[in-house]
Amino acid sequence: MTPAKRTVLISGASISGPALAYWLHRSGCAVTVVEKAGALRAGGYPIDVRGTAIEVVRRMGILPQLQDAHIDSRRCTFLTADGSEVASLSPDAVAGGVEGQDVEVRRGDLAASLYGKVRDDVEFLFNDSIDTLDQSAQGVDVTFHSGQRRTFDLVVGADGMHSHTRESVFGPETQFHRYLGYCFAIFTMPNTFGLSRELMMWNTPGRAAALYAVGDNDELHAFLNFHQPEPPLDALRNPDAQRDLVATVFADAGWEVPGMVNAMRDADDLFFDTAGQIRMPHWSSGRVALVGDAAYAPSFLTGQGSSLALVGAYMLANALATHRDHTAAFAAYERDVREFVAMNQALVDNGAATLFPTTVRALEQRNTMLRGLVTMPSATPRPAHSALTLPEFAPTP
């Protein structure tokens, strides 16, 4: 007698959720994805897919799509407080990427490619979310915000750094959040500067402002980042307070920053958050597991959030395909992925944060390093990006 299909509910339809859904469906699971937004988010700030994650998207068959959508930035220019040039470099020299192999795409392009692979095979519940989870020996009873009630064999939280699933099962985020001392605001603004396929970054100690043109005439992605010793908890859920805080921090800034602050005031797509990581002793409890940023957000300072999400989804699905017992599967997932996660999270301690110095001396040292990269432009790939070798996916039952 053929065993019943394992039913899995995934919370979150951004990156790790659809990637996990693809691999779980391939292994014979019946998969449902619930997403609180009414539809996929289009556009979005550019993200990188590097190292081991490139092999994941290649095995999914979406690498050619992502290569077609590759942004192909030509240069990163760093500026002093008065707007004069420090250095102009290739993006790979700055990020430790591998030219011709790694890809950088709009977040929405990656999400759309992933969704396109699973939308016909997986149930999606948009404009809904999990209200309560009640685990038993037989499964997980789920009450949705819509009022619907269903039971699943397993539930996976793929709902981001501020995961509701994690909070419901493991407790408050404060237990697992490692604040890295920075806040940032991202938004779009008109490209009135003539920028094309390039990034320009202005720095003073503890402050950075960047304009990123991902195309020739597209809107600019604007980025304002600043050092804050303690997280501004009062501002995290108050958009007006966020705008006021950013405007205050950059009040005396030069270059094009005053115009950026004005554009931020009017932006309808402002995203404000703290730079932080999620560090947990375990990524599962009973029949509930976490993947991607919900389990191990590395922070934007590493540039590895999307890559960890893709690799983690593959490894979790492979573990569940290999082990019928979910407890054994979750243990294998953690055992095989944790070192890879730790290496990538450690990038913030190994120099990734040096792009955003907080002291005059550190800024001088960073600028000296950047000028040195101009004369020695060959990029050195970061070992953490490719530190995990993917196993062959378990055979389809």
Side-chain angles (χ1 to χ4, degrees):
M1 181 177 174
T2 304
K5 280 190 174 185
R6 178 186 262 157
T7 58
V8 184
L9 173 66
I10 301 170
S11 177
S14 182
I15 304 301
S16 57
L20 178 63
Y22 171 84
W23 293 108
L24 287 177
H25 168 74
R26 179 167 157 173
S27 69
C29 295
V31 185
T32 299
V33 179
V34 62
E35 168 56 50
K36 65 181 178 181
L40 292 184
R41 278 191 299 150
Y45 204 75
I47 54 92
D48 297 292
V49 181
R50 302 190 188 109
T52 304
I54 288 290
E55 180 62 13
V56 175
V57 296
R58 187 189 69 77
R59 293 185 187 185
M60 293 183 75
I62 61 172
L63 181 56
Q65 287 176 251
L66 299 181
Q67 289 171 330
D68 288 343
H70 179 55
I71 289 168
D72 195 22
S73 294
R74 296 170 186 146
R75 62 180 174 269
C76 297
T77 303
F78 293 85
L79 307 172
T80 63
D82 65 5
S84 57
E85 183 176 310
V86 173
S88 188
L89 303 158
S90 77
D92 291 314
V94 177
V98 181
E99 186 174 359
Q101 295 182 32
D102 301 347
V103 295
E104 182 183 25
V105 295
R106 293 174 177 87
R107 186 179 185 85
D109 289 340
L110 175 57
S113 294
L114 293 168
Y115 178 65
K117 291 294 292 187
V118 294
R119 64 186 172 197
D120 296 331
D121 302 315
V122 167
E123 178 187 23
F124 279 83
L125 305 175
F126 286 103
N127 205 27
D128 208 350
S129 58
I130 297 171
D131 261 5
T132 62
L133 298 167
D134 185 16
Q135 297 194 61
S136 69
Q138 286 71 44
V140 187
D141 297 326
V142 178
T143 302
F144 293 91
H145 189 67
S146 61
Q148 182 182 180
R149 295 183 179 184
R150 290 170 62 178
T151 300
F152 298 87
D153 293 321
L154 304 172
V155 173
V156 180
D159 44 352
M161 183 171 176
H162 306 301
S163 168
H164 175 69
T165 309
R166 186 186 61 235
E167 184 168 359
S168 298
V169 176
F170 297 86
E173 181 179 316
T174 50
Q175 298 178 73
F176 312 115
H177 187 275
R178 180 195 179 199
Y179 177 59
L180 297 175
Y182 296 90
C183 300
F184 64 93
I186 300 174
F187 52 97
T188 54
M189 62 183 288
N191 186 359
T192 59
F193 307 93
L195 300 182
S196 174
R197 299 181 185 274
E198 62 185 301
L199 179 144
M200 301 189 76
M201 183 182 290
W202 168 96
N203 288 88
T204 59
R207 297 184 298 179
L211 293 171
Y212 192 6
V214 300
D216 294 321
N217 298 298
D218 297 348
E219 283 186 314
L220 293 175
H221 293 279
F223 175 78
L224 294 167
N225 178 64
F226 58 96
H227 177 58
Q228 189 87 351
E230 296 296 327
L233 300 178
D234 293 342
L236 288 178
R237 291 176 176 81
N238 184 335
D240 289 335
Q242 294 164 9
R243 288 178 165 88
D244 289 343
L245 175 60
V246 174
T248 299
V249 169
F250 287 91
D252 63 345
W255 187 51
E256 303 291 349
V257 180
M260 295 175 67
V261 172
N262 288 336
M264 176 200 66
R265 289 285 194 189
D266 299 329
D268 59 7
D269 61 351
L270 174 66
F271 178 76
F272 178 95
D273 206 347
T274 59
Q277 296 184 332
I278 297 299
R279 297 195 173 194
M280 302 181 70
H282 300 288
W283 302 330
S284 65
S285 177
R287 292 177 173 269
V288 179
L290 303 172
V291 69
D293 280 357
Y296 33 78
S299 94
F300 78 88
L301 296 172
T302 68
Q304 280 293 91
S306 297
S307 291
L308 285 188
L310 291 165
V311 173
Y314 179 95
M315 295 298 288
L316 173 55
N318 187 59
L320 286 166
T322 304
H323 302 275
R324 184 65 194 175
D325 176 65
H326 65 272
T327 303
F330 291 160
Y333 161 57
E334 295 205 22
R335 181 190 66 238
D336 294 341
V337 179
R338 189 166 286 277
E339 184 179 356
F340 181 64
V341 165
M343 288 182 69
N344 282 279
Q345 288 189 326
L347 290 172
V348 297
D349 304 313
N350 298 336
T354 56
L355 287 180
F356 306 104
T358 59
T359 65
V360 172
R361 177 173 171 75
L363 182 57
E364 290 173 349
Q365 291 174 331
R366 189 213 65 172
N367 288 347
T368 299
M369 175 199 72
L370 292 174
R371 293 185 187 104
L373 288 175
V374 174
T375 57
M376 297 183 299
S378 59
T380 302
R382 295 196 171 113
H385 296 171
S386 303
L388 188 150
T389 299
L390 293 184
E392 289 300 317
F393 197 77
T396 303

